[in-house]
Amino acid sequence: MLRSRPSLRDPPQSTAVSHGVRSDVGGAFYGRRMDGGTRMTTRERTAVVQRTVDGLRVVLDGVTQDVEHGGFAAAVSALEVDRPRWVWDTMDVYPRLLQAGVRVARSWDLRLARGLLRRAAGTPGGIAALPADGWDDSAAGRDDGALSFDFGELLDAQREFDRQIAEVAASARPGALRLLITAESAGALAAAEMHHAGLPWRRDVHEQLLEGLLGPRVPVDRRPSALERLAGDIRVALGAPALNPDSPADLARALRSAGIEVDSTRAQELSRIDHPVVEPLLEYKRLARLHQANGWHWLDTWIADGRFRPDYIVSGVVTGRWATRNSGAMQLPKQIRSAVVADPGWKLVVADAAQLEPRVLAGLAQDRAMAEAGRGRDLYAGIVASGAVATRAAAKVGMLGALYGATSGEGGRLVPRLARRFPQALALVERAAKEGERGGTVATLLGRETPPVSDRQRAVDREAAVFEADERVLRQARSLSRDRGRFTRNFVVQGTAAEWALCWIADLRRRLWELAEGSFTERPHLVYFLHDEVIVHAPAGSAVAVADAVTEAARDAGRLLFADFPIDFPLDVSVVDHYDEAA
DNA sequence: CCCAAAGGCCAC
DNA sequence: AAACGTGGCCTTTGGG
């Protein structure tokens, strides 16, 4: 946490309330008075879902109802009329509810909250000190290895919820943490819903694209004809008849034998070389990647019933960004996005936040000059207009250099120019970097904290601290320290941007639900989320209203996090039939 | 046989 | 010599 920064205040629900943001995100969870450290006022209804030996137990305001698995969806549906906050493990129960046609408005995800509270800034540390148990995410890496928990045991949801509420209430900034947990919980609902609905995917379009570029489909152990032909050209050009172009080691040897000096076989390096092998080799790499990552095998594995259903991992990244499992859904190459096609009579509303991270930095640092540069539209153009740098490209490279900690190259050169014009913003990332370099932790706006320095780094530090330490060890310690500085520097911005995005999609899913009637997949609904970008699948007639909803949700996410600080979050919004037509 | 590391490339 | 952040996933390679 950048504790020295006076502007880092608790942005509690009162922020939302004062701006009239109706929210499934922070909501009025325990009322805003709680943030003043006084007392609960408008207590929200909660429905705690507990697994039992043969079914599920729902406790709504102290009233217990036991249901068998088969009756669960009906019970939830009946209780949902009161719009309680569902306290549960979303991934454990919500997919089944969606299958049964039941959608809920609000939740508190016990598993995600556990993960956040284990490592959140300003908590008393009671949850951090707990031994790992079934509420901890088994997928997440743990350094202690063994679990003391017996997985046959039934987890006590009410007890865990009580513990979490107490931890939040006793924290330094309960409003911020509550917002973080409810936003992330809303994200979990959205993730399950996006998996349920699926991204519309035209197998025939994808297959046509593959056949056009690679040739007819071949068995898995064979190269498609286009790759076979290119491999032949490469072997001839290098005079290496047995070369396997898929092997970097083999390729590097062949290149050197042909008198081409390279440090690697990366496309970027090869493209700078003047030799007949370069063209077929680069083409081979491009097509081989397509074949391996998004070829027929991927199609067979991931596309069913005209839908792509990735498994989203909410908070799968240390910064709070999402990940996905196995499908590569967060690396869909531009090359194949033409296969994402709206259903007949429907549209894709594609929206991405423009220069999200610099804007988040401006808000975090309360840097009015940078906020002014981003007023209206393109923040990089605004930086040019400010006179800091000459071109938009320079503004972008310099800004990213500042966010990533560039010290050399064009980015490194431009950072000082930005620092002169935007001292507050640049000082914030510098402080974050310094804190990391000296082995500390930093936190996002809402309190997500970096992990502590690794045991390995600590060991190197100890080794480097002794009198007349080995020069190699000293170098390694310095290098690790710098690495951590770049990590903490980027963490505050990337992590807060992830929080903005959570608030955005949480508010958006509420707005989309209220735009129409009918079942979840009959209404406009989210089908894809990628860090700072969403796709909504919407009946054509509602597309304009959806575009407005997406824009308004972005505005409200900004207010939720940054209150009345005047930083804009403009979007690029496109209404299209094919994903690749989006601006 | 399994597994992890290395090299590479895709996304933001 | 390294040098600009967060990831996923593929193939090759070499060790147990």
Side-chain angles (χ1 to χ4, degrees), chain A residues 5 7 360-368 424-426 428 562 565:
Chain A
R5 186 160 53 86
S7 59
V360 162
L361 173 58
L364 271 174
Q366 307 273 297
D367 188 319
R368 288 181 180 270
Q424 257 179 273
L426 276 285
L428 187 140
F562 302 112
F565 182 75

Side-chain angles (χ1 to χ4, degrees), chain A residues 91-168:
Chain A
M91 286 328 230
D92 186 35
V93 297
Y94 197 41
R96 280 181 293 157
L97 293 177
L98 289 168
Q99 291 282 346
V102 177
R103 181 260 190 198
V104 303
R106 280 191 279 266
S107 69
W108 176 286
D109 189 287
L110 290 167
R111 195 170 291 277
L112 290 171
R114 167 65 78 90
L116 286 166
L117 291 171
R118 258 198 190 283
R119 189 183 296 127
T123 55
I127 286 187
L130 290 175
D133 66 21
W135 290 116
D136 287 292
D137 190 357
S138 53
R142 259 189 303 270
D143 20 31
D144 60 349
L147 287 178
S148 57
F149 171 74
D150 172 6
F151 280 97
E153 181 184 324
L154 284 167
L155 297 167
D156 189 335
Q158 184 69 55
R159 179 160 155 241
E160 176 62 14
F161 184 46
D162 291 344
R163 197 152 47 191
Q164 293 181 359
I165 289 294
E167 185 85 0
V168 169

